[in-house]
Amino acid sequence: MNKVVIFGVGLIGGSFARSLKKAGAVGSVVGMGRSAASLQRAQELGIIDVIGSDMGEALDGADLVLLAAPVAQTEAILAAIAPHLQPGTVVTDAGSTKSDVVASARRALGGKLAQFVPGHPIAGRETNGPEAAIDDLYVGKKVVLTALDENAEADVERVAAAWRACDAIIHRLTPQEHDKVFAAVSHLPHLLAYALVDDIANKPHADLLFQYAASGFRDFTRIAGSSPEMWRDISLANQSALLTELDSYLAQLTGLRARLAAGDGAGLESVYNNAQRARHQWITAIEAAEAPPSQDKAD
Amino acid sequence: MNKVVIFGVGLIGGSFARSLKKAGAVGSVVGMGRSAASLQRAQELGIIDVIGSDMGEALDGADLVLLAAPVAQTEAILAAIAPHLQPGTVVTDAGSTKSDVVASARRALGGKLAQFVPGHPIAGRETNGPEAAIDDLYVGKKVVLTALDENAEADVERVAAAWRACDAIIHRLTPQEHDKVFAAVSHLPHLLAYALVDDIANKPHADLLFQYAASGFRDFTRIAGSSPEMWRDISLANQSALLTELDSYLAQLTGLRARLAAGDGAGLESVYNNAQRARHQWITAIEAAEAPPSQDKAD
């Protein structure tokens, strides 16, 4: 690719730029964003070649545009891009939810919707900003593309090829499948962890309780250390799928409560056993094939 | 101490023996247990000096007895000990729940109840058996003693001094306080983690879901890798306090569900924010003062 434009040059966008450069897969990277300081720093660090100021100029002749700014800005950025989007340019994003992004794109891009290929790289760390960007963030990590019926296969392939150049592994789901899956394995656990810590923190004897919390509690609640604003946005963006998963979990807990209240040891053990076995199979089958553990952004 | 008797020479009991020996705090360690192979191995490894066979002989002249066998055996062991328990011997345990242990002791020891000082070392690893025993498992770790009104202070102090010789830090709670605290910060999180993995594993598209589970999910569910039998026993042993915590959490989740359904972003964010802040304070205030992270047994 000759020219790639990146909105948001922090961990996700900056690491994308660094990885493409390392692979020799891009000529010039233009950085766009609301923070002049971040753009300046990204240029000093060699993450981007040019700080874009004029939208038309930035997008002129671009092969690929990546939206890696906070998801709340997605629709506004797409709306700003739309008038300047040339036929040869493909736009993708890195948001943690997809149905809402597709709805935003439909509104903002109108007749140019076909040029937008939604994506979600399943990678991240707990650090942020241009300084956090590294050239191997995506190595061996999954990138889920949720192509639209309107997309030309060649455009989907352009996005896939860019991520493959970062050594990521491409998966494809529909936006609805994506949101159901991540509601279950990521968004619900975040909500549950926040809920537990808040519940404990609000008790009158919270200080006593926290004093005896140990490493099991620390790991269980690690994701409650994530950005509240980001997870508020993700929760609302994936409201419907998250409600479905939450209701399923509430039914599960209600069933477990009944077994506990009845002193049904065999009933409790069968749930614990099934969970332990399933988790062991997952760890064995999936994780063994993956890169060494790293922290997730908003997996 | 001249003579210490340990029932169960695995990680917990074996590490207690090793730590006392390292500190020069014990003359001779007698190992007792149901597995002849484990006792044999513990002796080969230098964890115990003598394999006890006759209860009367094993307890004769003992200063301290530690029960570190699975908690389901506690009452039977105490009942077997009772007839042979001499006035100069103090008995303690390492169980993860305390009210039920006190009830067992009351039944099994009768008039000798005052010689039993219940305890709970908050330490462990995911390994087990005599091979797993190490001489620094308890360094900087908390040991909660839940002394009884019947206990003589000198007997409580004998148990405390033994754990201090292992470089553990002594805390004191009532058995009821202990069980409430650990229901909130340990037993409930275990139940929640088991419940989530089981819920996902039972869905028709479980394979698809597990495929996209990442490091956030791994940490959240790590405790669901624990022994189902042990956690069945703990759940039942602490049934009442666990039900109270579970009901509090169910109310919390129901409230969060209402906020999510109403699209109340500010309401969600305030819970997420409070949780993130409380967790950060906890990590900062408590963990900074502790030893480097290690895995917990049944914290």
Side-chain angles (χ1 to χ4, degrees):
Chain A
M1 296 179 292
N2 259 327
K3 183 177 178 180
V4 169
V5 182
I6 298 177
F7 288 79
V9 291
L11 174 70
I12 298 300
S15 294
F16 184 69
R18 280 202 186 281
S19 304
L20 290 179
K21 289 188 167 207
K22 187 186 181 190
V26 63
S28 168
V29 175
V30 180
M32 300 282 283
R34 294 196 301 190
S35 161
S38 288
L39 291 167
Q40 187 66 43
R41 191 75 191 109
Q43 193 177 36
E44 286 164 13
L45 290 166
I47 295 171
I48 59 174
D49 303 293
V50 179
I51 297 176
S53 48
D54 178 72
M55 186 67 80
E57 197 180 323
L59 291 177
D60 184 41
D63 298 293
L64 184 67
V65 176
L66 173 71
L67 272 56
V71 284
Q73 299 173 33
T74 299
E75 187 162 346
I77 295 173
L78 287 172
I81 286 173
H84 307 280
L85 194 57
Q86 297 171 355
T89 305
V90 177
V91 182
T92 188
D93 79 313
S96 301
T97 53
K98 296 271 70 78
S99 302
D100 67 312
V101 165
V102 172
S104 293
R106 208 169 286 279
R107 285 188 297 265
L109 295 177
K112 293 178 175 174
L113 179 68
Q115 289 171 253
F116 180 66
V117 180
H120 176 201
I122 318 302
R125 294 180 174 244
E126 283 173 352
T127 49
N128 229 314
E131 318 275 351
I134 51 176
D135 64 13
D136 61 355
L137 183 66
Y138 303 114
V139 175
K141 296 294 161 56
K142 296 184 183 74
V143 172
V144 181
L145 299 184
T146 63
L148 308 176
D149 291 342
E150 290 85 347
N151 291 147
E153 190 54 34
D155 289 350
V156 179
E157 179 52 32
R158 189 184 301 178
V159 177
W163 284 113
R164 274 193 221 104
C166 304
D167 287 323
I169 300 156
I170 301 298
H171 286 240
R172 292 180 66 164
L173 296 171
T174 68
Q176 293 72 28
E177 282 170 342
H178 172 281
D179 287 356
K180 276 188 196 180
V181 165
F182 287 90
V185 301
S186 171
H187 308 170
L188 178 64
H190 277 79
L191 185 145
L192 299 180
Y194 281 126
L196 182 71
V197 181
D198 179 67
D199 192 34
I200 289 177
N202 288 337
K203 290 182 199 283
H205 55 309
D207 287 350
L208 179 71
L209 296 176
F210 279 120
Q211 198 179 343
Y212 293 99
S215 75
F217 184 84
R218 188 182 55 236
D219 285 356
F220 184 85
T221 61
R222 182 178 69 75
I223 48 183
S226 311
S227 157
E229 298 76 18
M230 177 172 155
W231 282 95
R232 174 202 62 198
D233 290 345
I234 290 174
S235 301
L236 293 177
N238 203 15
Q239 184 193 39
S240 164
L242 183 52
L243 279 172
T244 301
E245 293 305 323
L246 179 53
D247 286 343
S248 168
Y249 187 73
L250 279 165
Q252 162 84 336
L253 276 193
T254 304
L256 263 179
R257 192 209 181 280
R259 292 177 185 198
L260 180 60
D264 176 8
L268 290 175
E269 189 181 355
S270 78
V271 169
Y272 295 180
N273 239 324
N274 189 45
Q276 191 214 31
R277 190 176 52 237
R279 187 175 189 279
H280 182 73
Q281 283 172 356
W282 167 62
I283 292 280
T284 307
I286 307 297
E287 241 182 1
E290 280 186 357
S294 76
Q295 307 291 16
D296 288 354
K297 160 195 67 128
D299 54 347
Chain B
M1 296 178 291
N2 259 327
K3 183 176 179 181
V4 169
V5 182
I6 298 178
F7 287 80
V9 291
L11 174 71
I12 298 301
S15 294
F16 184 69
R18 280 202 185 280
S19 304
L20 289 179
K21 289 189 166 205
K22 187 186 182 190
V26 63
S28 167
V29 175
V30 180
M32 300 283 283
R34 294 197 301 190
S35 161
S38 288
L39 291 166
Q40 187 66 43
R41 191 74 192 109
Q43 193 176 37
E44 285 164 14
L45 290 166
I47 295 172
I48 60 174
D49 303 293
V50 179
I51 298 176
S53 47
D54 179 72
M55 187 67 81
E57 198 180 321
L59 292 177
D60 184 42
D63 299 292
L64 184 66
V65 176
L66 172 71
L67 272 57
V71 285
Q73 299 173 31
T74 300
E75 187 161 347
I77 295 172
L78 288 171
I81 286 174
H84 306 281
L85 194 58
Q86 298 173 354
T89 305
V90 177
V91 182
T92 188
D93 79 314
S96 301
T97 53
K98 296 271 69 78
S99 302
D100 67 313
V101 165
V102 172
S104 292
R106 208 170 285 279
R107 286 188 296 266
L109 295 177
K112 293 178 175 173
L113 179 68
Q115 289 172 254
F116 180 66
V117 180
H120 176 200
I122 318 302
R125 293 176 177 248
E126 281 171 354
T127 50
N128 228 314
E131 319 275 351
I134 51 177
D135 64 13
D136 60 356
L137 182 65
Y138 303 113
V139 175
K141 296 293 161 58
K142 297 184 183 74
V143 172
V144 182
L145 299 183
T146 64
L148 308 176
D149 291 341
E150 291 85 347
N151 291 146
E153 190 53 35
D155 289 351
V156 179
E157 180 51 32
R158 188 184 302 177
V159 177
W163 284 114
R164 274 191 222 105
C166 304
D167 287 323
I169 300 157
I170 300 298
H171 286 239
R172 291 180 67 165
L173 296 171
T174 68
Q176 294 72 28
E177 281 171 343
H178 171 281
D179 287 357
K180 277 189 195 180
V181 165
F182 287 90
V185 301
S186 171
H187 308 168
L188 178 63
H190 276 78
L191 184 145
L192 299 179
Y194 281 125
L196 181 72
V197 181
D198 178 67
D199 192 33
I200 289 177
N202 288 336
K203 291 182 198 283
H205 55 309
D207 287 350
L208 179 69
L209 296 176
F210 279 120
Q211 199 179 342
Y212 293 100
S215 74
F217 185 84
R218 188 182 54 236
D219 285 355
F220 184 86
T221 62
R222 182 178 69 75
I223 49 183
S226 311
S227 157
E229 299 75 19
M230 177 173 155
W231 282 95
R232 173 203 62 198
D233 290 345
I234 291 175
S235 301
L236 294 177
N238 203 15
Q239 183 193 39
S240 164
L242 183 52
L243 279 172
T244 301
E245 293 305 322
L246 179 53
D247 286 342
S248 168
Y249 187 73
L250 279 165
Q252 162 85 334
L253 276 192
T254 304
L256 264 179
R257 192 208 180 280
R259 292 177 186 200
L260 179 60
D264 176 8
L268 291 175
E269 190 181 355
S270 78
V271 170
Y272 295 180
N273 238 325
N274 189 44
Q276 192 214 31
R277 190 177 51 238
R279 187 175 189 280
H280 182 74
Q281 284 173 356
W282 168 62
I283 292 280
T284 307
I286 307 297
E287 243 183 358
E290 280 187 357
S294 76
Q295 307 291 15
D296 286 355
K297 161 194 67 130
D299 54 347

